[in-house]
Amino acid sequence: QSALTQPPSASGSPGQSVTISCTGTSSDVGGYNYVSWYQQHPGKAPKLMIYEVSKRPSGVPDRFSGSKSGNTASLTVSGLQAEDEADYYCSSYAGSNNKVFGTGTKVTVL
Amino acid sequence: EVQLVESGGGLVQPGGSLRLSCAASGFTFSSYEMNWVRQAPGKGLEWVSYISSSGSTIYYADSVKGRFTISRDNAKNSLYLQMNSLRAEDTAVYYCARGYADFDYWGQGTLVTVSS
């Protein structure tokens, strides 16, 4: 199972929005509504930010939103804040009881 | 408060074995599916293995199938990963994570280094 494709980096100024794409295939992202997004600060464990494409766990700010179109999912962070600077990974159920992660995107707040 | 605490990592020679543990607290462990996810140094996340709440259903990534064994002891609120025939490419931080299609809680990770 190949990793989902994400851009290596993305950036924005405080208050701006940044959108990260996550491209897979019809066997993973396009085939199931089980796309999730994780935020990881250096040296820390990943944190669930979005699940089932667009749902936010309790405690995650509504500045974080998710969507999906075809084989590509997206995470948008609106109103960027300094603490949003981190690595972000998408993940998808990939059938046959497999899960696959994205290649990761480093978000920089300028 | 949900807590997952991994232990058992360390330095091991190629071909060697290691057993990781994950101690769970703050939730009804026996009601939740669990996973191991790893991250090689400077690299992305890779799902390794899944076990159902009862332990009756288990899945592995192709990269570890036949070498790693996941198990759990619900009486001890603990998750395990027995790793045999270790290779250099198994070097990573290993996280335990709760859930099935998505992982809502993660431990802090334990580092496994496979090197001679």
Side-chain angles (χ1 to χ4, degrees), chain B residues 38 48 60 64 66-69 81-84 86 90 94:
Chain B
R38 68 185 181 183
V48 172
Y60 298 100
V64 306
R67 300 187 299 122
F68 289 11
T69 301
L81 186 68
Q82 176 68 42
M83 304 186 295
N84 298 331
L86 282 162
D90 296 318
Y94 284 74

Side-chain angles (χ1 to χ4, degrees), chain B:
Chain B
E1 178 194 6
V2 171
Q3 281 200 318
L4 298 170
V5 180
E6 301 93 339
S7 60
L11 176 63
V12 61
Q13 292 188 337
S17 298
L18 212 55
R19 189 194 195 207
L20 306 184
S21 299
C22 171
S25 60
F27 65 103
T28 305
F29 180 71
S30 59
S31 297
Y32 286 86
E33 301 150 299
M34 298 294 297
N35 301 264
W36 287 99
V37 178
R38 68 185 181 183
Q39 186 171 35
K43 302 296 184 181
L45 300 167
E46 179 189 14
W47 171 77
V48 172
S49 184
Y50 157 92
I51 187 167
S52 62
S53 56
S54 67
S56 60
T57 302
I58 285 172
Y59 305 122
Y60 298 100
D62 288 343
S63 57
V64 306
K65 203 171 293 182
R67 300 187 299 122
F68 289 11
T69 301
I70 191 172
S71 62
R72 65 190 297 161
D73 185 336
N74 286 341
K76 294 184 177 180
N77 292 335
S78 293
L79 175 72
Y80 306 102
L81 186 68
Q82 176 68 42
M83 304 186 295
N84 298 331
S85 302
L86 282 162
R87 307 165 179 167
E89 54 264 36
D90 296 318
T91 294
V93 174
Y94 284 74
Y95 297 99
C96 61
R98 190 180 82 169
Y100 176 66
D102 48 72
F103 312 126
D104 59 354
Y105 287 96
W106 299 61
Q108 85 290 347
T110 187
L111 176 63
V112 172
T113 303
V114 183
S115 175
S116 55

Side-chain angles (χ1 to χ4, degrees), chain A residues 3-11 18-24 37 72-75 86-90 102-108:
Chain A
L4 307 174
T5 300
Q6 297 180 233
S9 63
S11 63
V18 64
T19 297
I20 304 166
S21 61
C22 170
T23 301
W37 289 90
T72 298
S74 298
L75 172 73
D87 293 328
Y88 290 83
Y89 293 92
C90 61
T103 50
T105 298
K106 181 177 180 59
V107 169
T108 301

